Amino acid sequence: MLRFDLVIRNARTQDGRAVEVGICEGRIAAMDERVSGKGPEYDAAGQILGPGLHDHHLHLLAAAARRDSVDLSGCRNADAIVDRLRRATGTPVTWVRAIGYDERVAGLPDRAVLDAWLPDRPLRIQDRTGGYWLLNSAGVRRLGGPPFPACVERSADGEPNGRIWRGDAWLRGRIGGQPPSLAALGATLARWGVTAVTDAGASNGAAEAALLAGALPQRLTIMGTEALPAGEGYRLGAVKLLLDENDLPPLAQLAARIDAARRLGRPVAAHCVTLGELLFYLGALDQAGGTKPGDRIEHGGRIAYSLIDDIAAAGLIVVTQPNFIHDRGDRYRAQMQDDELGDLYRLGSLIRAGVAMRGGSDAPYGDLNPWIALRAATDRRTQRGHVIGIDEAIGREAALALYEAGALHIGGPADLMLYDWPRDPGALGHVGLTVIGGDIVWQA
């Protein structure tokens, strides 16, 4: 009789059939309606057995740091922001780190405005997109003296005005500090059934890989720069191309980066939130000789219907965030024309055209909970209950496929979860057990 390290009994498949699984040395050794063998047993009590979830696009260090930050995402006026900032714990010399600032409150404030909000402690606020860091005068003084890179905005007198655009790596180098612990983040992800993650940081290199590798129980893929090396504890991902429609590089320069990635044997993945960024990326790919297997469009925030067949023919993967329909949908409805809303975070139309789709949270800029995104993929509802692009909604099985870490099969890795996902409108899934490499990393 077979001896297993773990036997899961009394589970069911998505379509309701009975299933059991026997795990040995981190892999699925047996899987059938009934498994014969001995070993420690776990009673699934009728829960669904499925592959673990893979968050295909998030920012781990920033997501972990969010836990120690002041969250401004619910603040709709300056008084609410001031109240929240001034209640932050710490000493007069410790930073107040805040995230989720909504520019509708006061635009992108400079150091003078932030001095009025918090005059007596160094302050850095990240805007809701993650692109800007905003510092008060006490924070600016912590930067030290010049020279300053182009990411540091200047006032008329040549001094930093407190706004730093896409300068995360430089800022981290200047102000120092200990990296956030990833253990709690990994535990939270495991509780939601996440068994694999892809860090999408554009500036990831050897230093970031050293911080991330082995820091979470999840299997790890790291995207980053061309200089990001292969290493133990993670899979080397695509070269990340961070595009900003307001500051695009020369097309030939981006095409040269794509060509450099090709020589390294790595695919490319471009940040494409706007239609302009997407068109620019498609042009650069064409100039670089076309797409290669594994090339990705990150976000696909706006994809014109006329581009869908081109994306499918090119074989590009689209890594989208259905959770933004829930998280930001009411903002989109207020700021965009009705005929533009259908282009947002497409799903159904891309899948029907044969485009390979993946799902990610973009945490901490989107909700980390994958079940928020899974629900939004199926109902396309905003927080206030409005529907955006109902033709882009997909079924539950297709939604889960966006996030599945890999199909379960005999001989494959034992990365799985037991879960229930009630059919009630608005319901989120509940995970009872998460297993990675045969080890139980979460159980309810």
Side-chain angles (χ1 to χ4, degrees), residues 88-246:
T89 59
T91 69
V93 298
T94 58
W95 281 94
V96 174
R97 183 186 193 276
I99 49 103
Y101 168 73
D102 189 330
E103 72 278 5
R104 290 179 295 179
V105 173
L108 291 171
D110 61 13
R111 58 192 293 183
V113 172
L114 297 185
D115 287 348
W117 289 0
L118 190 71
D120 54 354
R121 292 180 62 185
L123 169 68
R124 65 186 191 273
I125 298 177
Q126 189 176 52
D127 78 321
R128 63 180 180 84
T129 71
Y132 271 102
W133 281 105
L134 310 168
L135 279 63
N136 67 356
S137 293
V140 168
R141 287 192 289 273
R142 294 288 186 94
L143 300 179
F148 297 109
C151 64
V152 179
E153 291 187 13
R154 318 287 183 85
S155 57
D157 61 5
E159 293 298 313
N161 67 10
R163 293 191 287 261
I164 300 175
W165 169 250
R166 299 288 186 201
D168 294 61
W170 178 84
L171 180 61
R172 187 164 55 245
R174 277 292 177 110
I175 67 176
Q178 294 296 314
S181 171
L182 294 165
L185 179 66
T188 296
L189 289 166
R191 179 164 56 88
W192 288 327
V194 177
T195 60
V197 293
T198 295
D199 190 282
S203 62
N204 283 339
E208 289 76 13
L211 292 174
L212 297 174
L216 304 99
Q218 286 76 21
R219 298 189 191 273
L220 173 65
T221 298
I222 306 179
M223 298 196 294
T225 70
E226 294 87 334
L228 175 66
E232 293 292 326
Y234 62 94
R235 176 179 172 270
L236 186 61
V239 171
K240 177 72 180 295
L241 308 172
L242 184 59
L243 303 179
D244 172 40
E245 186 172 357
N246 296 321

Side-chain angles (χ1 to χ4, degrees), residues 312-362:
L316 284 161
I317 299 167
V318 176
V319 184
T320 188
Q321 287 77 43
N323 49 306
F324 284 153
I325 294 296
H326 174 266
D327 298 348
R328 304 179 181 179
D330 295 307
R331 167 194 284 270
Y332 296 145
R333 292 183 72 252
Q335 295 182 338
M336 298 174 65
Q337 299 297 318
D338 289 347
D339 59 357
E340 297 175 324
L341 294 174
D343 291 343
L344 288 171
Y345 295 96
R346 290 183 177 273
L347 269 175
S349 57
L350 292 168
I351 290 173
R352 290 189 292 271
V355 176
M357 301 292 294
R358 304 287 185 270
S361 65
D362 198 28

Side-chain angles (χ1 to χ4, degrees), residues 325-412:
I325 294 296
H326 174 266
D327 298 348
R328 304 179 181 179
D330 295 307
R331 167 194 284 270
Y332 296 145
R333 292 183 72 252
Q335 295 182 338
M336 298 174 65
Q337 299 297 318
D338 289 347
D339 59 357
E340 297 175 324
L341 294 174
D343 291 343
L344 288 171
Y345 295 96
R346 290 183 177 273
L347 269 175
S349 57
L350 292 168
I351 290 173
R352 290 189 292 271
V355 176
M357 301 292 294
R358 304 287 185 270
S361 65
D362 198 28
Y365 315 112
D367 199 305
L368 184 66
N369 186 345
W371 296 97
I372 298 288
L374 287 164
R375 182 182 63 187
T378 64
D379 68 13
R380 302 286 292 187
R381 289 192 179 276
T382 72
Q383 290 189 44
R384 295 180 182 174
H386 300 288
V387 175
I388 292 179
I390 190 58
D391 290 342
E392 299 299 329
I394 58 177
R396 288 185 168 212
E397 186 174 349
L400 284 163
L402 298 174
Y403 293 87
E404 287 176 349
L408 300 180
H409 59 91
I410 294 175

